[in-house]
Amino acid sequence: MTSTLIHNVEKQLNFSGSHIDAKYVVDVTNYYINNETIVVNPHMWDVSVGQPVRNIIPAFSSTILKDITIEKAQALILIEVKDTTNIGNIILEEGWVLLGDTMADSPNGGDTSELPYPKNTPLWKSPQDDAGIVEIDPYYMTRQAKTPSEKQSFVVKLNLWFAPSHTNCFIHNKHDFIEIHTEIFGTGRMQKFKAQDYGTLYEDMLMSPGFTTAVPFCQVEENSKYIYPWHQYYADTDCIWMAIEYHPLAKA
């Protein structure tokens, strides 16, 4: 018997709700994007976009598409903002937690105790979802290598964040994974600091809807160790952004 390949396998992400529809799609072939959608390429290979003029979505980056076909991709993250009316009410949807109010583990959002968020930080986190497994070269992803060579398996974990305007979302520098971020709603910044002190800001990266920080902030070391600078997200307006985390799988 001849096996039939199944293309465009969709997974509805668990933080989808009345305001935002979120999907993870694998083995993408001739996939039609109808409504205005933030399309994220979470892989190290470019995504091919179809006619009228062929285009690509580079590795670990994103764009906003509408009424166009994705020709080929290993995987895609698709975020459609369905309703912006009272969008701040997204924090009332199931599984969202206020990190500035708890040091406990979130049953849906993972362990939040690694970061001692100040109690006066108005920062909310959605449930986190395991989207799938990708094989990437972490040294290429962080631009420590010019071309991909070594492959390592990572679980892609996704969740949304919300903060109101003019919020400092806490300076930190510890993660046991590689992360990038995609802006979903509003305007904010990813910021880097020389110390855990707002006066030591040295890089201010503007984030508008559809933008992804294509180069992670961290440096990869041996045994899946990641060295981050002091960094934070700052919300200029009411903001929703997505964390895309790459968690290394233990080698067999």
Side-chain angles (χ1 to χ4, degrees):
M1 294 180 62
T2 303
S3 61
T4 302
L5 294 177
I6 300 176
H7 301 294
N8 303 326
V9 179
E10 296 181 344
K11 176 182 179 179
Q12 193 80 33
L13 297 171
N14 65 7
F15 48 82
S16 296
S18 60
H19 293 283
I20 289 175
D21 182 72
K23 295 185 179 73
Y24 188 78
V25 189
V26 298
D27 194 12
V28 179
T29 301
N30 296 325
Y31 187 94
Y32 179 66
I33 304 293
N34 184 17
N35 300 323
E36 184 175 290
T37 301
I38 297 171
V39 180
V40 185
N41 175 10
H43 220 282
M44 67 179 181
W45 307 114
D46 293 342
V47 168
S48 298
V49 182
Q51 299 298 326
V53 177
R54 185 183 178 277
N55 193 15
I56 63 167
I57 306 173
F60 311 115
S61 71
S62 59
T63 190
I64 300 175
L65 296 178
K66 176 183 178 181
D67 187 24
I68 198 75
T69 297
I70 304 291
E71 291 181 342
K72 199 74 177 174
Q74 300 215 11
L76 293 175
I77 304 165
L78 305 178
I79 305 291
E80 180 185 345
V81 180
K82 298 188 298 181
D83 185 7
T84 59
T85 303
N86 296 331
I87 196 169
N89 286 335
I90 195 169
I91 65 174
L92 303 178
E93 294 181 355
E94 184 177 358
W96 282 76
V97 293
L98 172 60
L99 296 191
D101 191 46
T102 179
M103 296 287 287
D105 293 352
S106 165
N108 294 311
D111 185 0
T112 65
S113 60
E114 65 174 277
L115 299 178
Y117 291 95
K119 286 187 175 294
N120 63 350
T121 304
L123 176 62
W124 284 262
K125 182 181 180 181
S126 79
Q128 189 174 70
D129 208 346
D130 289 3
I133 296 174
V134 297
E135 286 193 345
I136 61 174
D137 181 342
Y139 296 94
Y140 175 72
M141 184 180 185
T142 59
R143 305 304 193 269
Q144 292 171 254
K146 293 184 178 180
T147 56
S149 57
E150 175 184 327
K151 285 187 178 181
Q152 185 178 346
S153 295
F154 291 82
V155 178
V156 179
K157 295 178 179 282
L158 306 172
N159 68 272
L160 300 181
W161 296 87
F162 174 87
S165 63
H166 304 295
T167 297
N168 284 311
C169 296
F170 184 63
I171 302 173
H172 58 285
N173 68 349
K174 294 187 184 300
H175 293 298
D176 57 1
F177 49 80
I178 302 173
E179 69 172 359
I180 56 178
H181 295 86
T182 300
E183 190 77 4
I184 306 300
F185 174 84
T187 303
R189 305 159 191 259
M190 289 299 301
Q191 300 179 323
K192 296 178 187 176
F193 303 84
K194 295 179 181 178
Q196 198 174 27
D197 178 345
Y198 295 113
T200 64
L201 175 70
Y202 70 88
E203 185 174 349
D204 206 13
M205 184 181 296
L206 294 177
M207 304 275 290
S208 59
F211 177 79
T212 294
T213 54
V215 181
F217 289 177
C218 66
Q219 177 178 309
V220 180
E221 297 195 338
E222 293 182 0
N223 300 318
S224 298
K225 300 294 183 184
Y226 310 109
I227 307 301
Y228 279 85
W230 292 105
H231 65 284
Q232 75 155 1
Y233 183 91
Y234 176 82
D236 287 291
T237 67
D238 291 358
C239 285
I240 298 171
W241 65 101
M242 178 171 60
I244 307 172
E245 300 176 357
Y246 295 79
H247 292 251
L249 282 177
K251 294 182 180 179

